Amino acid sequence: MAATADTVRQVEDVTGGAYKYGFVTDIEADVAPLGLDESTIHFISAKKEEPAWLLEWRLKAFQQWKRMVEPEWAKVNYQRIDYQGIHYYSAPKQKDGPKSLDEVDPELLKTYEKLGIPLREQELLAGVVAVDAVFDSVSVATTYKKELEKKGIVFCSISEAVREHPELVRRYLGSVVPVADNYFACLNSAVFTDGSFVYIPKGVRCPMELSTYFRINAQNTGQFERTLIIADEGSYVSYLEGCTAPQRDENQLHAAVVELVTLDDAQIKYSTVQNWYPGDENGKGGIYNFVTKRGACRGKRSKISWTQVETGSAITWKYPSCILQGDDSVGEFYSVAITNNAQQADTGTKMIHIGRNTRSTIVSKGISAGRADNTYRGLVRISKKADGARNYTQCDSLLIGDKCGAHTVPYIESKNPTARVEHEATTSKISEDQLFYCLSRGLTQEQAVSLIVNGFCKEVMKELPMEFAVEAQKLIGISLEGSVG
Amino acid sequence: MALLEIEGLHVEVGGKPILKGIDLSIEPGEVHAIMGPNGSGKSTLSYVLAGRDGYEVTAGSIRFDGHDLLEMAADERAVAGIFLAFQYPVELPGVTGMTFLKEAVNARRKAEGEGDIDAMAFLKMVRAKAKTLSITDEMLKRAVNVGFSGGEKKRNEILHMAVLEPKLCVLDETDSGLDIDALKIVSDGVNALRDPGRSMLVITHYQRLLDHIEPDKVHVLAGGQIRRTGGKELALELERNGYADFVEAA
């Protein structure tokens, strides 16, 4: 009974119950007019009933963004983005979506089936039903929410956090990724629509993996998602982002920002499976994913661990990083990036060692097939005061076929003579021998490729939380279908 | 009816003729040995049977258990019951022996319209078979053939064979690189699989393997053709006289 009431309340929050806060907006449209100028930002801020400080913050970001130039250093080619040709806000309603699964691309459904995704969830992912309509069936979400509240954990949308926990948001928003950090992050700061907020109180170990799937309000955060996770002293949280199923998405440009903060002895484990639409065989129609992810290990002995499996998007531009400020803090980056057909990925990490005895580990596995290009770009910087800092980097590339490319661009800057920095890199191909060996044991060509690639990625896959890992394994096989033979 | 029936088989590799008219018939339960000098086409024959790409059949036919083998892809042949023990087993980094075998077993079960094997039953079955080949649990947890010694690799091939229970086992120079003790373990493993319903084609350069795995028939392959066929005593004759007669004849 209580759970049902809770659900109803939350559904209200999503569907317009927010008006009860008494804000009034004279703009009734569900979609912002095309293009971006100051009035667009006023529109978004008004729609979200934001306090004045946040509107100011956004406007400042927009002023800076106007003076910035789109970066061109990444090894990706794409048509210029027309920033005036985008709607920067649309209400979370899916009026134009398909009416039933019969109207959904059968290829998409086939993939869902292979991944073993339940029907109800398929409908949600394909955009057949709005997320609020699904809430009632996802009563498990409300149950979880209760359990989290008991421990004092805050897990909500960033819009809700702005209202309910303004002191935390003001203190930490933009503190890891400054407003003008880079072109895309700056754009995000000006126009971000929604995203997740997590606060783990002192000494609390979050009892479950937090995933956007269980978070109400999580859907329709649109192309400019903003995530902020704060782990207070001695706390721990594992956060799962994304979904192994390809999500129906009308937005071509995605420019998200994720900020993580760990205080003394705190730990954040952040896992991503990114499987947005990669476009057709020629890359037409795929998502451009320009995301800034960064974590600050502010506290002593704190730890931030990024694990990512990137199989989607036409273009991926992404460097989840760690700023190791606290003494003895630890940063980790485990990455699998798969590119097939015309996909392009330029991804890697930055490990900035500032504190003493800081340690970082980088394990990157890049797989290219078709005509795809896959670049690892990473920076390890040891600052003057980082006595005893250590880094270990391993970059492995696997090529499938002879029309794809793999590139490794490691930057190492060390200003401290006591630092130890190791870098290992390999490039290999799936050999005819390996394929034939698998076939001779009865595996199909596709099973063989999937098995060999999963073997290649093993060190990264084992870092994924269990439930993610199983799906991610299947996903790797699906992403590479048709890449051999 | 013969389990394997090869008639007038001609095979080219990269436009070069390697096999020049092979006729070979193996009945269920029979063990045939193919001996011959280096470069005679022994390994080519094993690859053609297993369906490897790049081996072009220009003439002849192969029938296996009622199928036209040449119409089947490599994986189809495997699930139909052909097994090749490799001369040089291939490394699969990151893929554990257990995972690999399970995929292989399930591929076969799928072809036979059965569901995936029960995980516990599979584990028990593999462990039991591994034990007879002196393969430890630790070895099964390692990536397939990665860091294995020559003997470990060959024992592992026989384990695959024992687990997959094929109808036709093709052993390509399984004795190469084995010391006496390993040869004994491997041969015992092979002998344990001898069965009235299962045939074997043992390809070897040396007679010593045939001391342990006693063949019903021995064929001498030289210059891409079978020059002579006899009983197990033919192997001993070859051991004494070498292949010189056949090489010159070719």
Side-chain angles (χ1 to χ4, degrees):
Chain A
M1 183 61 203
T4 315
D6 206 22
T7 305
V8 169
R9 189 175 55 75
Q10 279 154 352
V11 171
E12 274 173 6
D13 283 352
V14 181
T15 54
Y19 280 100
K20 69 179 180 257
Y21 291 98
F23 292 96
V24 178
T25 163
D26 51 25
I27 306 158
E28 291 301 325
D30 282 332
V31 180
L34 215 54
L36 180 57
D37 57 25
E38 278 200 11
S39 72
T40 323
I41 290 163
H42 280 280
F43 179 101
I44 295 168
S45 199
K47 269 285 179 193
K48 303 186 76 61
E49 295 139 16
E50 288 175 352
W53 68 264
L54 191 51
L55 175 62
E56 283 304 312
W57 195 80
R58 287 176 180 277
L59 288 170
K60 221 169 93 188
F62 179 62
Q63 291 308 327
Q64 304 205 50
W65 181 72
K66 279 198 296 188
R67 292 194 297 271
M68 294 172 92
V69 187
E70 199 170 332
E72 286 177 347
W73 44 261
K75 192 173 166 40
V76 291
N77 287 307
Y78 57 95
Q79 276 213 313
R80 283 246 163 244
I81 298 163
D82 177 9
Y83 292 94
Q84 298 303 331
I86 296 171
H87 291 286
Y88 285 84
Y89 180 89
S90 65
K93 282 177 190 163
Q94 288 167 317
K95 285 178 183 160
D96 304 327
K99 305 272 180 299
S100 75
L101 282 178
D102 298 340
E103 292 177 29
V104 175
D105 182 1
E107 283 299 313
L108 198 65
L109 295 180
K110 240 199 275 175
T111 309
Y112 290 162
E113 206 173 295
K114 283 179 195 159
L115 286 166
I117 291 170
L119 197 67
R120 194 69 180 159
E121 210 176 312
Q122 286 187 23
E123 291 181 330
L124 172 64
L125 292 164
V128 173
V129 291
V131 66
D132 48 3
V134 181
F135 284 169
D136 286 331
S137 67
V138 193
S139 60
V140 63
T142 47
T143 317
Y144 277 6
K145 197 153 179 162
K146 279 234 153 82
E147 201 179 327
L148 294 176
E149 274 168 13
K150 242 190 277 169
K151 297 208 172 243
I153 293 168
V154 182
F155 181 31
C156 62
S157 75
I158 200 138
S159 307
E160 196 181 328
V162 168
R163 292 193 300 269
E164 308 289 334
H165 306 278
E167 70 297 341
L168 283 172
V169 179
R170 269 190 101 154
R171 183 155 163 207
Y172 289 105
L173 188 73
S175 75
V176 185
V177 179
V179 162
D181 184 79
N182 69 71
Y183 189 79
F184 298 107
C186 193
L187 177 64
N188 175 289
S189 300
V191 302
F192 74 87
T193 31
D194 217 328
S196 304
F197 177 84
V198 177
Y199 172 76
I200 314 289
K202 274 185 198 174
V204 171
R205 190 181 169 88
C206 186
M208 67 194 71
E209 318 269 355
L210 294 184
S211 90
T212 43
Y213 176 64
F214 286 121
R215 205 204 70 223
I216 301 185
N217 293 357
Q219 303 297 322
N220 294 305
T221 44
Q223 52 204 127
F224 301 104
E225 193 167 351
R226 186 100 198 178
T227 299
L228 176 58
I229 301 177
I230 302 144
D232 211 327
E233 290 171 20
S235 69
Y236 169 86
V237 63
S238 167
Y239 186 89
L240 314 183
E241 176 203 72
C243 183
T244 50
Q247 264 174 292
R248 183 177 172 276
D249 195 327
E250 300 297 333
N251 301 312
Q252 188 164 40
L253 171 67
H254 279 250
V257 172
V258 176
E259 295 178 281
L260 312 182
V261 177
T262 49
L263 304 183
D264 284 358
D265 300 296
Q267 238 190 81
I268 298 176
K269 182 175 172 62
Y270 192 104
S271 312
T272 307
V273 171
Q274 186 264 113
N275 188 23
W276 280 327
Y277 184 51
D280 64 12
E281 277 178 29
N282 299 310
K284 194 165 170 274
I287 302 284
Y288 296 173
N289 188 24
F290 297 95
V291 44
T292 305
K293 291 184 168 179
R294 194 174 302 156
C297 286
R298 298 231 165 109
K300 290 175 183 150
R301 299 168 300 277
S302 64
K303 178 175 173 182
I304 288 176
S305 180
W306 299 98
T307 307
Q308 59 173 22
V309 175
E310 304 277 318
T311 67
S313 297
I315 295 175
T316 301
W317 182 100
K318 179 179 172 185
Y319 315 91
S321 305
C322 297
I323 302 169
L324 304 169
Q325 287 166 271
D327 291 348
D328 302 296
S329 60
V330 176
E332 292 176 339
F333 174 74
Y334 297 97
S335 168
V336 169
I338 297 181
T339 50
N340 196 0
N341 295 318
Q343 280 179 277
Q344 306 171 66
D346 194 305
T347 183
T349 184
K350 287 189 272 185
M351 292 291 173
I352 312 295
H353 292 254
I354 296 168
R356 278 177 297 177
N357 298 317
T358 45
R359 281 167 292 150
S360 62
T361 303
I362 299 170
V363 178
S364 162
K365 304 276 181 178
I367 297 114
S368 320
R371 290 169 291 119
D373 254 315
N374 205 323
T375 304
Y376 168 82
R377 189 183 302 278
L379 168 68
V380 175
R381 177 181 289 154
I382 315 282
S383 65
K384 231 187 238 168
K385 288 179 182 161
D387 290 336
R390 286 214 311 269
N391 163 265
Y392 172 73
T393 300
Q394 185 190 334
C395 291
D396 298 323
S397 304
L398 185 69
L399 302 172
I400 302 173
D402 53 11
K403 293 185 184 68
C404 53
H407 317 272
T408 303
V409 191
Y411 300 88
I412 297 172
E413 298 170 9
S414 180
K415 292 188 180 130
N416 187 308
T418 66
R420 270 215 334 257
V421 179
E422 287 176 71
H423 181 95
E424 286 179 19
T426 66
T427 301
S428 54
K429 282 184 88 158
I430 291 189
S431 72
E432 288 292 319
D433 282 347
Q434 287 175 321
L435 280 177
F436 177 59
Y437 192 61
C438 293
L439 296 183
S440 81
R441 298 299 183 254
L443 275 59
T444 62
Q445 189 98 263
E446 279 167 2
Q447 282 176 313
V449 170
S450 175
L451 194 71
I452 293 166
V453 172
N454 269 301
F456 172 76
C457 301
K458 195 174 193 178
E459 291 150 283
V460 174
M461 302 300 273
K462 71 178 170 48
E463 296 296 326
L464 283 175
M466 199 50 195
E467 66 263 40
F468 239 26
V470 176
E471 278 189 34
Q473 258 176 31
K474 288 189 213 163
L475 179 63
I476 284 176
I478 292 167
S479 320
L480 290 167
E481 270 178 14
S483 61
V484 175
Chain B
M1 198 185 68
L3 180 71
L4 182 74
E5 187 82 60
I6 302 176
E7 282 180 352
L9 184 71
H10 283 74
V11 175
E12 291 184 0
V13 179
K16 191 180 164 214
I18 304 290
L19 298 182
K20 304 162 187 171
I22 301 276
D23 295 293
L24 181 66
S25 176
I26 303 181
E27 297 294 323
E30 282 186 346
V31 174
H32 287 219
I34 294 215
M35 301 184 69
N38 291 329
S40 59
K42 298 193 300 291
S43 286
T44 298
L45 180 61
S46 70
Y47 284 148
V48 169
L49 287 172
R52 182 161 199 164
D53 280 348
Y55 292 78
E56 199 195 340
V57 176
T58 52
S61 67
I62 307 177
R63 291 201 66 79
F64 168 73
D65 200 22
H67 306 283
D68 178 354
L69 199 67
L70 298 177
E71 288 297 308
M72 297 161 77
D75 54 320
E76 291 168 342
R77 297 181 193 197
V79 295
I82 288 194
F83 179 89
L84 172 62
F86 281 54
Q87 182 178 2
Y88 303 107
V90 182
E91 296 186 0
L92 300 175
V95 181
T96 66
M98 277 295 191
T99 305
F100 187 53
L101 270 176
K102 202 165 169 188
E103 290 257 345
V105 166
N106 285 334
R108 170 145 331 171
R109 289 172 68 97
K110 196 177 168 194
E112 285 161 4
E114 293 175 63
D116 284 358
I117 191 168
D118 173 72
M120 282 314 290
F122 172 77
L123 205 67
K124 229 174 130 183
M125 181 261 285
V126 174
R127 279 191 180 148
K129 293 187 175 180
K131 210 174 161 194
T132 64
L133 290 158
S134 307
I135 291 173
T136 58
D137 278 6
E138 185 270 331
M139 223 174 117
L140 290 168
K141 282 180 196 149
R142 273 152 66 185
V144 178
N145 293 320
V146 177
F148 284 22
S149 70
E152 285 175 331
K153 282 183 183 172
K154 295 297 171 77
R155 262 150 52 202
N156 200 40
E157 292 293 286
I158 305 306
L159 175 65
H160 288 182
M161 196 163 101
V163 168
L164 293 173
E165 301 182 332
K167 293 188 180 113
L168 175 68
C169 308
V170 182
L171 293 104
D172 188 6
E173 309 241 0
T174 295
D175 52 333
S176 69
L178 292 187
D179 59 29
I180 301 288
D181 294 336
L183 186 67
K184 177 91 171 61
I185 294 171
V186 166
S187 307
D188 287 350
V190 174
N191 285 329
L193 289 170
R194 288 182 84 145
D195 182 280
R198 178 175 298 133
S199 309
M200 295 189 185
L201 185 61
V202 180
I203 294 171
T204 182
H205 191 77
Y206 300 105
Q207 189 269 338
R208 63 171 193 166
L209 179 65
L210 305 181
D211 285 343
H212 300 276
I213 305 169
E214 216 171 273
D216 298 300
K217 281 186 182 164
V218 175
H219 309 274
V220 180
L221 182 66
Q225 288 180 324
I226 290 178
R227 302 284 173 182
R228 221 174 121 189
T229 294
K232 61 184 176 196
E233 66 287 348
L234 179 56
L236 294 166
E237 188 188 321
L238 288 169
E239 185 73 4
R240 278 197 307 274
N241 303 340
Y243 293 110
D245 297 350
F246 298 102
V247 176
E248 273 156 34

